[in-house]
Amino acid sequence: MRFKLIVISVITLIAAYSLFWFKLADDAKEMTLAWVENSEERLNGVKLFVGDVTVSGFPYKIVIEATTFNAAIPEGFMTVEPILITIPQISAVYQPWKPNHAVIVTDYMDAVIGELSMPSVSINFEKVMSSVILDEGTNELNNLSIIADLTSWQHGLPGEGNEVSFIEQPEFHLRRNTGGNTSQSAYDLPVSRALYFKSRTSLINEFRNTVLGENADQIKIETLLHANSQPDYSIAGLSEWRDDGGTLSISNFEYGSVDQKVKLTGDLTLDENLKPLGAFDASVTNIASLFLRLSENDNIPEMARSLLKNQASASSLPEEVPLAISMQNGQMYVGPIMVMELPPVIE
């Protein structure tokens, strides 16, 4: 009798869990399709498109697979130009007891910034895994993490012979902070977003004519965005953020290799022309190598290049040198030396 009771109880639990799983699976599929259908309203103009959707994973997880996934991000949302993201196949994995947290996996995805026929930048991601956590009450994005094996990009269309930049094993983590003011200064705005990024070997051609240089074995960035609300990436949105007193606090930045590394901390905002404005405390290892590289940069005034070359040959330079880096009047200074012109972040 007791054995029968145990068997009946086990069968009842299995049946109940099966009904529970299939109900959650149906709800997850309907929620995903509804979220995609209403994405333009929920995501401030971002349009999502999916192909055929299937659900599997019984009994331990819920796996939603789509044959294609596209996202059209309007201009001003992230950059001054529109962005189109294309993923040929994608899977989202949920735990039945935690439907607001999804792990999304795809082998390949690409993105273009600008018009599809003539993009400003073409970007490729390989072996991508991301974690998305939504607010249980509002379904708004709380946390986002993206990890890839490789990210590469170039200006223009692929195959046009343009230089390709790349970053190996990038990790990007975005955290939403809805609490009070967490900074040391009461004059700072609340923390709207916290951003963490790190990667391994990289070749960034856009940094070739800067203090950083194009080659790095490791990159680490930890920043806090101070804002009353998330600013739009537009002239009006960034101007309002700046006028409200918005700042970007860089609590940690490391870039370089074992032989030469740049570290800095500081705060950044924008001037009236939307050019970077800020000050940083930095330290540089093997500064002679940095001075020598900058002295060969044709974009630096000849007098500054001559001074840098003389400093690079000095035998009294220490292994690690503290530096003051400032951005003002549309120019970047290392100490008193102007090393580069700064363009507006948006035009």
Side-chain angles (χ1 to χ4, degrees):
M1 185 68 179
R2 181 177 296 177
F3 178 74
K4 280 187 177 182
L5 184 60
I6 293 173
V7 171
I8 292 172
S9 299
V10 170
I11 293 174
T12 302
L13 286 173
I14 293 173
Y17 178 79
S18 299
L19 291 173
F20 168 74
W21 187 93
F22 283 105
K23 176 66 168 62
L24 281 182
D26 288 341
D27 290 346
K29 181 177 180 179
E30 290 179 8
M31 183 181 70
T32 300
L33 293 175
W35 206 75
V36 169
E37 184 178 353
N38 300 316
S39 60
E40 191 171 4
E41 179 182 351
R42 289 179 178 272
L43 299 177
N44 298 323
V46 177
K47 296 180 181 179
L48 303 180
F49 308 90
V50 295
D52 296 331
V53 176
T54 59
V55 180
S56 61
F58 181 81
Y60 302 112
K61 56 189 177 183
I62 298 173
V63 181
I64 299 178
E65 296 179 294
T67 52
T68 59
F69 180 90
N70 297 327
I73 303 173
E75 59 186 42
F77 188 87
M78 295 178 66
T79 70
V80 69
E81 297 181 279
I83 302 174
L84 177 62
I85 298 173
T86 303
I87 305 175
Q89 187 170 9
I90 191 170
S91 300
V93 182
Y94 301 83
Q95 300 296 338
W97 50 88
K98 203 170 185 181
N100 66 314
H101 182 195
V103 175
I104 301 173
V105 181
T106 184
D107 286 335
Y108 172 89
M109 63 179 283
D110 59 35
V112 294
I113 301 176
E115 297 300 325
L116 185 60
S117 59
M118 191 177 296
S120 300
V121 182
S122 301
I123 310 172
N124 170 252
F125 303 84
E126 296 181 12
K127 298 291 183 181
V128 182
M129 178 180 294
S130 63
S131 171
V132 179
I133 301 178
L134 304 179
D135 184 273
E136 294 183 8
T138 64
N139 276 339
E140 292 182 351
L141 180 66
N142 270 351
N143 296 335
L144 171 66
S145 297
I146 302 175
I147 301 172
D149 278 3
L150 179 70
T151 299
S152 59
W153 66 93
Q154 60 183 304
H155 296 275
L157 287 167
E160 292 185 339
N162 298 317
E163 291 184 318
V164 177
S165 301
F166 68 85
I167 295 176
E168 293 183 353
Q169 297 183 339
E171 293 186 22
F172 172 88
H173 306 277
L174 180 67
R175 302 289 182 262
R176 182 183 180 192
N177 191 317
T178 56
N181 194 321
T182 59
S183 65
Q184 295 181 353
S185 172
Y187 295 100
D188 285 335
L189 297 180
V191 176
S192 172
R193 294 288 188 273
L195 169 66
Y196 306 89
F197 176 87
K198 70 176 183 178
S199 69
R200 294 192 177 179
T201 304
S202 64
L203 171 66
I204 305 177
N205 292 301
E206 291 80 0
F207 287 174
R208 180 172 298 158
N209 294 323
T210 72
V211 174
L212 300 175
E214 69 267 37
N215 294 301
D217 294 336
Q218 187 179 61
I219 304 173
K220 288 184 179 180
I221 305 172
E222 298 179 17
T223 65
L224 298 175
L225 176 66
H226 295 272
N228 286 322
S229 60
Q230 181 71 17
D232 293 332
Y233 196 86
S234 63
I235 292 177
L238 292 178
S239 297
E240 182 180 359
W241 170 76
R242 174 202 62 200
D243 295 341
D244 283 345
T247 57
L248 184 67
S249 297
I250 301 176
S251 56
N252 182 40
F253 177 90
E254 297 181 20
Y255 182 97
S257 62
V258 175
D259 297 328
Q260 183 189 342
K261 182 179 293 185
V262 178
K263 298 180 181 180
L264 64 82
T265 60
D267 295 287
L268 183 71
T269 187
L270 301 173
D271 65 15
E272 65 275 8
N273 297 315
L274 297 181
K275 295 182 178 182
L277 174 67
F280 303 92
D281 294 322
S283 65
V284 180
T285 57
N286 192 5
I287 196 169
S289 176
L290 170 62
F291 284 167
L292 184 61
R293 178 169 56 80
L294 290 175
S295 71
E296 298 170 351
N297 189 338
D298 293 335
N299 295 314
I300 297 177
E302 185 175 352
M303 183 176 295
R305 289 167 56 196
S306 178
L307 180 59
L308 287 165
K309 190 171 183 178
N310 290 335
Q311 288 293 321
S313 60
S315 59
S316 59
L317 289 174
E319 180 66 23
E320 183 170 343
V321 179
L323 289 177
I325 297 178
S326 60
M327 300 177 184
Q328 57 184 342
N329 301 322
Q331 298 173 327
M332 175 185 285
Y333 293 83
V334 176
I337 303 174
M338 195 280 287
V339 295
M340 67 179 295
E341 297 283 344
L342 297 172
V345 298
I346 188 172
E347 292 181 295

